[in-house]
Amino acid sequence: MKKLINSPADVLADALRGIQAAHPDVRVDTENRVILRGEPTRAGKVALVSGGGSGHEPMHGGFVGRGMLDAACAGEVFTSPTPDQMLAADQAVDSGAGVLHIVKNYTGDVLNFEMAAELAQGEGIRVETVVVADDVAVQDSTWTAGRRGTGTTVILEKIVGALAEEGADLDAVLALAEKVSGNGRSMGVALTSCTVPSAGKPTFELPDDEMEVGVGIHGEPGRERRPLATAKEIASMLVDPILADMDATGPTIVLLSGLGGTPLIELYVMWAEIAPLLETAGVSVERVLVGDYITSLDMAGCSLTIVKADEEMLRLWDAPVVTPGLRWGA
């Protein structure tokens, strides 16, 4: 294992120190391992809290800031944060207007966020939750009951973060979050495994001439192993299952995310193949992101996310955002 670390045990703590040093607009509660906006939550603003296991950067800590999250809880690599971390985040960011938990559908995250919500509500903080379950690859996995939560989370945090920034109440913020979540689908493919620092070896074995179609962001098995294919062939493997699962005709927001170990030039090669497939299928791509936004450590591969969008969602997508991972319009 070759990695830029001091020791496997210190990866998260050292990374949080680096985030604090690199981004003065956010502050890090090192005791609770929570990344927060630099400024307190504005009075009357609904607070957005997310989080999960580390190793998916820039998600979630990279999306803390104006126009997106108020706080993100960082678990150990591929391990859910604890309810105590989430409660600390809720306490830090609630301004009296309530908190929305944005949770990817992984069993540990769901259970811990549920427990944290109960604890927060016991302290008089109103908490609502949206669970993202957008991965069409498998219905149940080794990590979930139901579909996994993946790239739609990024798009949801941007759109709903903008609505909360405008001052909408918690009921309205929750309703939009559920709408975005219901409109999103994702599919991924891996060319290599990732290596968790504490394990020191690849999470799974994948021969050089094979790929995992439908892989999860922790290296969970997908739909099948196939011989390594061209970008054009892989594009169809990503697009077809999504379009088979949803009516994606009309305006959409699309995310093509690398999994951490894929050069940007290869992601653009992929997008050059995906874009015409979507156009032929009647999918109108109104906004697109290509790059690393939800990753799996050093895994080579990519994931495609399509979210159907109406005028309000597009307007909120275009609203200013100032975070380490997304920044425009400000």
Side-chain angles (χ1 to χ4, degrees):
M1 178 180 70
K2 290 183 177 179
K3 290 186 180 291
L4 297 173
I5 62 175
N6 294 313
S7 73
D10 295 330
V11 168
L12 178 55
D14 289 348
L16 290 174
R17 288 195 299 109
I19 290 170
Q20 181 66 92
H23 302 290
D25 290 344
V26 302
R27 59 188 173 92
V28 177
D29 174 353
T30 54
E31 179 181 355
N32 292 298
R33 297 184 170 182
V34 177
I35 301 167
L36 302 143
R37 295 193 190 190
E39 300 294 329
T41 308
R42 185 180 73 246
K45 178 191 174 299
V46 172
L48 270 56
V49 173
S50 192
S54 297
H56 306 300
E57 290 71 23
M59 175 171 278
H60 291 280
F63 300 138
V64 173
R66 182 157 62 90
M68 288 189 79
L69 299 175
D70 292 87
C73 306
E76 292 290 343
V77 174
F78 293 177
T79 301
S80 173
T82 66
D84 287 345
Q85 287 178 262
M86 299 163 185
L87 176 61
D90 293 342
Q91 292 170 329
V93 300
D94 177 53
S95 68
V99 177
L100 178 69
H101 284 173
I102 301 170
V103 185
K104 299 188 306 302
N105 188 34
Y106 295 96
T107 302
D109 288 344
V110 172
L111 292 175
N112 287 345
F113 268 107
E114 283 180 355
M115 189 176 299
E118 292 175 2
L119 294 170
Q121 287 159 355
E123 297 188 4
I125 300 172
R126 183 186 170 195
V127 177
E128 299 289 348
T129 301
V130 60
V131 177
V132 179
D134 62 327
D135 189 343
V136 302
V138 292
Q139 181 58 39
D140 298 295
S141 79
T142 50
W143 295 60
T144 71
R147 287 178 170 172
R148 300 175 289 224
T150 57
T152 296
T153 317
V154 178
I155 296 173
L156 187 154
E157 289 174 355
K158 172 63 190 78
I159 291 173
V160 175
L163 184 67
E165 210 70 58
E166 291 181 350
D169 64 23
L170 184 52
D171 289 334
V173 170
L174 173 63
L176 182 61
E178 291 175 336
K179 181 178 180 179
V180 176
S181 178
N183 281 359
R185 301 288 189 278
S186 295
M187 180 77 177
V189 60
L191 307 184
T192 68
S193 174
C194 56
T195 298
V196 178
S198 61
K201 61 181 182 180
T203 301
F204 57 93
E205 297 296 329
L206 188 59
D208 288 343
D209 59 351
E210 292 185 357
M211 58 186 183
E212 183 78 31
V213 179
V215 71
I217 57 173
H218 309 98
E220 311 99 296
R223 286 186 169 184
E224 58 183 333
R225 293 265 175 105
R226 286 190 178 186
L228 188 61
T230 64
K232 186 179 184 68
E233 293 166 332
I234 293 172
S236 294
M237 295 176 201
L238 297 176
V239 170
D240 291 349
I242 292 176
L243 299 188
D245 198 85
M246 70 184 298
D247 174 10
T249 54
T252 62
I253 299 169
V254 179
L255 168 66
L256 179 64
S257 180
L259 297 180
T262 297
L264 189 57
I265 189 173
E266 293 181 25
L267 293 179
Y268 280 118
V269 169
M270 285 300 305
W271 182 246
E273 301 299 338
I274 290 170
L277 293 178
L278 296 179
E279 182 178 2
T280 300
V283 180
S284 178
V285 180
E286 300 295 329
R287 309 289 188 274
V288 62
L289 283 179
V290 177
D292 280 346
Y293 295 98
I294 173 170
T295 61
S296 181
L297 291 169
D298 52 356
M299 185 184 292
C302 64
S303 66
L304 177 67
T305 297
I306 301 175
V307 174
K308 290 198 69 167
D310 57 22
E311 287 300 319
E312 181 191 31
M313 292 162 64
L314 292 174
R315 179 184 68 79
L316 293 168
W317 177 262
D318 291 339
V321 59
V322 183
T323 72
L326 280 184
R327 183 180 294 255
W328 62 65

